[in-house]
Amino acid sequence: MSLLAVERTVTVFTATVVETGGMLARIAVLLNPYDVRELALSLDRGELRIVVEGNGFDAGRVSARLQKVIGVLDVVVSSN
């Protein structure tokens, strides 16, 4: 029996951040009901990385939501 790899679409959002207190909780609320697979904050780089799985959602809308969070700057979106 062979296993076939299932290709899934993921969209990656990367943002420069300047404030971190309570940020992850606010972002988690904003991203509900999206299928968030990764939510990582690097304090060394001042960078937030969010990976959302799936098709059919408006990445521009998600980006706009992220830009409303205090301390989030310059959101970049990439998909594969």
Side-chain angles (χ1 to χ4, degrees):
M1 173 162 73
S2 67
L3 297 175
L4 297 175
V6 176
E7 185 162 328
R8 296 185 177 162
T9 300
V10 296
T11 303
V12 178
F13 299 85
T14 306
T16 305
V17 295
V18 294
E19 186 272 329
T20 59
M23 179 181 289
L24 293 179
R26 289 191 302 273
I27 290 170
V29 169
L30 286 175
L31 295 176
N32 186 28
Y34 300 109
D35 190 5
V36 176
R37 294 299 177 164
E38 180 183 340
L39 180 59
L41 178 62
S42 170
L43 297 177
D44 293 334
R45 292 187 311 267
E47 183 178 277
L48 173 68
R49 177 179 160 88
I50 302 166
V51 177
V52 178
E53 185 176 323
N55 293 318
F57 68 92
D58 184 352
R61 185 173 180 180
V62 173
S63 180
R65 286 184 180 191
L66 291 173
Q67 290 178 16
K68 290 182 179 181
V69 175
I70 294 171
V72 172
L73 310 170
D74 304 323
V75 177
V76 175
V77 180
S78 61
S79 296
N80 71 347

